[in-house]
Amino acid sequence: MKTLIPRISRKRTTSLPTPEIEGLLARVQREARATSTDAAPAAWMRTAARACHAELADRLHESQQADRISGAKRVHYLSMEFLMGRALANALSALELEDAFAQAAEQAGLRAADVLEREPDAALGNGGLGRLAACFLDSMATLGVPAFGYGLRYRYGMFAQRIQDGRQVEAPDDWLRLGDAWELPRPELRFAVGFGGHVVGDGGLARRWVPAQTVQAQAVDFIVPGHGTRRVAVLRQWQAAAQQPIDYLAFSRGEHVAAAREKLEAESLNWVLYPDDSTPAGRELRLKQEFFLVSASLQDMLARHLEEHRTLDNLGAHACVHLNDTHPALAVPELMRLLVDEHGLGWEQAWAQTQQVVSYTNHTLMPEALETWPVRMLEQLLPRHLEIVYEINSRFLAQVRARFPGDEALVRRVSLVDEQGEQRVRMAALSIVASHHVNGVSALHSDLMVQTIFADYARIWPERFCNVTNGVTPRRWLAQANPSLAAVLDERLGGPGWRTDLGRLAQLAPLAGDADLQAAVRAAKRANKQRLATLVRRELGLVIDPDSLFDVQVKRIHEYKRQLLNLLHVVARYQAILAQPQADWVPRTVVMAGKAASAYVAAKDIIRLAHDIARVVNSDPRVGERLKLVFLPNYGVSLAETIIPAADLSEQISTAGTEASGTGNMKFALNGALTIGTWDGANIEMAQAVGREDFFIFGLQAEQVTQLRELGYDPRLHYEESRVLRRVIDAIAQGDFSPGEPGRYRALVDALLQRDSYLLLADFHSYLEAQAAVDEAFRDRAGWDAKAIRNIAGMGWFSSDRTICEYARTIWQLPT
Ligand SMILES: *Cc1c(COP(=O)(O)O)cnc(C)c1O
């Protein structure tokens, strides 16, 4: 142990001076030495985290100091979700300490991987939207964009998924139980956030809100390191606390529970992240959470601006507020309230600043997913904000009437208030009216956005709408998740530079036929498949063959993502194998994972069906190694990091026109999986970048989907026409996979045959043909490897670094 430091080899140049590295490692060793061997990996994890954190805190101080001095324009990225995952491996990589850490662990008799695995995931998001925010923070830090992510410090985050008897059971995810070594509490940053009450003032535009209840928002920072730079970004998460920790009088009377009521009520704001399909009971609390986030974040932003500039007249020149979907849309009336009521700006001046500051990203076209809040609820919870929304609306509608005289239907459609039935405020409308830019997240999505849900607004402000296609960070999704492939790239691309310049991957394309490269890429894939097979065996006791084709669909379970279509293919393949056991089948392992929102019955049925099918198929001796179905519980960032590098085939099979972008699709292709997918979201741009010959595209396109629905779609026709489809559906309907309860999937089958809202049956045959083409391609190993290499080579553009550069230039208009 004593000889540790001199034996550290450093392959890459490090941006840390040597004595500091030694200091960090010495600290890890000193503190970890004191613990017993059983607890050693966890102790190492915490100590290493604290050591990295100390260094990152210095860098945070430096970055913020530099931004203060230069008066930098800052991005404030407001999001209800940040799906960060684990932080230690990323921090070690950013500090260029991976090798040194691995060696130090080894000398202590530990495997670095075992240490890293002890860290719980920070799962403060549902899926793609939250993970996008996390990738963006990584890229903003790496590119040196002055940025604050603002979110809530959820105590339990997204639920942990367990599977009992094939069914999803939700459990609280106590991710902070070990204490979080990464948190940097900021006791000096505290703001009051009100709820309820009433508004006082004369008839003027500036009025005063007297809330009935006030909670304190307390900042807790999480530092996001940049790679290849000393710059960092910060994720500032708000923790709610009661004004008075306990009610002393009640306590003295012996009413202990009552004494803590206010404390509990405040803290409940931080308990959980509501899934997007939330229950009504949770809705009021969700609205409070949204307001709590925006109010605290904007107060923090204004306080910083005033400290640096002494005036709010130039706010728009120095601050961007970006809304990640409409969840933080209350930022609009809250910023207006702060500027007008609290800081004394005139309405016009405040509105001009607000419009210069705010921009908004839309993430879904599905009308039912567009957020609205009942006027009645806002009136009770945020009376002043409702007044402000009305004022914004009346000015906006006056403009519309002036430009489109007599078109009252248009006025009704674009109004911030939906007057049909119970009055509701449309959060997307509020966001659009206040934003200087509104973007979609893939070319198709942005086109459809202005053609469908936002067509009226695009008519009023065509220049306001734009596209910025999503991306993913290559640090986490390639360098960290797939060290085997990363090593191949380091060798072939002349070093580690691709990590921050992903366009260099294009250099691989001309080498796709190179036998040595093919062998190296294949060996890396084989190692990753072996790693996943080991995990599957440990988690599920199931043996899978790493030489079979790994066919993977991992993402939230949702009808539009069509995990059920995947299952229909599994059943069809199962039946075909039984019918022709002698045929030369390409062995397949179908891997699925994903959580269903707790109130989403149809999605939960799909999880159960997957388990029922898996039980039958996996135990059928006639099938053997030719087909296996695996559902891995508790999908999250860390599981994704193990699964995605092991995939041969990536399933991106949403109904065309429903997946805004997808980012899972990008992670897979970047790791050398081939995609079977619909002409949807970012799949389209990926296929164009990679080459359509190396993509398995199937199914109806978005326009055809629209046409079919307009003509009147009858799923029964497909059922009656296709013998294969009939056999598959009948098997499920008769209970072949649920013999103890034959009617278990009655509702699911009825929905398919009567409505089939996502056109599974219409796309079924095309999907089966594409799957057959996949089998054929996989038989030709060299051909497959060449395709995999061309997929990797084509993914350079899908780095979130490119995405952030586009936001910085076109939306945030940061100096370059
Ligand atoms: C990337 C990612 C997603 C998004 O996946 P899609 O396939 O684009 O829906 C969801 N969850 C996790 C954990 C991810 O890493």
Side-chain angles (χ1 to χ4, degrees), residues 61 64-65 67-69 71-72 74 76 148 186 188-191 236 298-315 318 343:
H61 184 73
Q64 297 199 327
Q65 188 74 11
D67 292 344
R68 239 189 320 272
I69 291 167
R74 295 191 186 81
H76 306 83
F148 288 86
R186 305 297 298 264
E188 75 283 12
L189 297 176
R190 242 176 124 87
F191 300 95
R236 182 155 290 168
L298 293 175
Q299 291 184 64
D300 186 41
M301 175 184 88
L302 292 185
R304 182 169 42 251
H305 184 87
L306 278 173
E307 196 187 302
E308 289 176 18
H309 301 280
R310 307 278 148 211
T311 170
L312 292 172
D313 296 346
N314 58 357
L315 181 67
H318 294 278
H343 294 282

Side-chain angles (χ1 to χ4, degrees), residues 83 127-128 131 477 554-555 561 635-637 640 652 662-664 667:
L83 197 45
R131 184 53 230 176
W477 295 112
V554 291
K555 48 182 77 236
K561 292 178 180 281
Y635 185 56
V637 173
Q652 307 299 337
T663 48
K667 300 168 197 165

Side-chain angles (χ1 to χ4, degrees), residues 681-751:
N683 292 354
I684 299 172
E685 288 151 89
M686 287 168 55
Q688 287 162 346
V690 166
R692 281 189 73 154
E693 323 75 62
D694 298 318
F695 242 73
F696 299 96
I697 298 285
F698 73 93
L700 297 171
Q701 299 200 355
E703 285 158 38
Q704 298 170 307
V705 167
T706 311
Q707 274 172 16
L708 182 56
R709 283 183 173 143
E710 278 167 3
L711 289 172
Y713 168 58
D714 183 5
R716 276 215 162 258
L717 293 180
H718 295 280
Y719 173 81
E720 275 150 20
E721 262 171 25
S722 160
R723 215 166 50 85
V724 177
L725 182 55
R726 223 161 39 236
R727 286 242 308 273
V728 168
I729 294 197
D730 290 350
I732 297 169
Q734 291 159 26
D736 285 11
F737 303 102
S738 53
E741 188 191 347
R744 182 174 292 168
Y745 297 108
R746 192 71 259 164
L748 183 145
V749 169
D750 284 350

Side-chain angles (χ1 to χ4, degrees), residues 165-167 571 574-575 604-617 619 728-749:
D165 302 326
R167 278 189 283 197
V571 173
Y574 172 60
Q575 292 174 336
K604 288 182 148 180
D605 274 351
I606 293 170
I607 293 178
R608 194 170 194 199
L609 178 60
H611 283 88
D612 279 341
I613 295 172
R615 191 170 21 75
V616 170
V617 170
S619 63
V728 168
I729 294 197
D730 290 350
I732 297 169
Q734 291 159 26
D736 285 11
F737 303 102
S738 53
E741 188 191 347
R744 182 174 292 168
Y745 297 108
R746 192 71 259 164
L748 183 145
V749 169

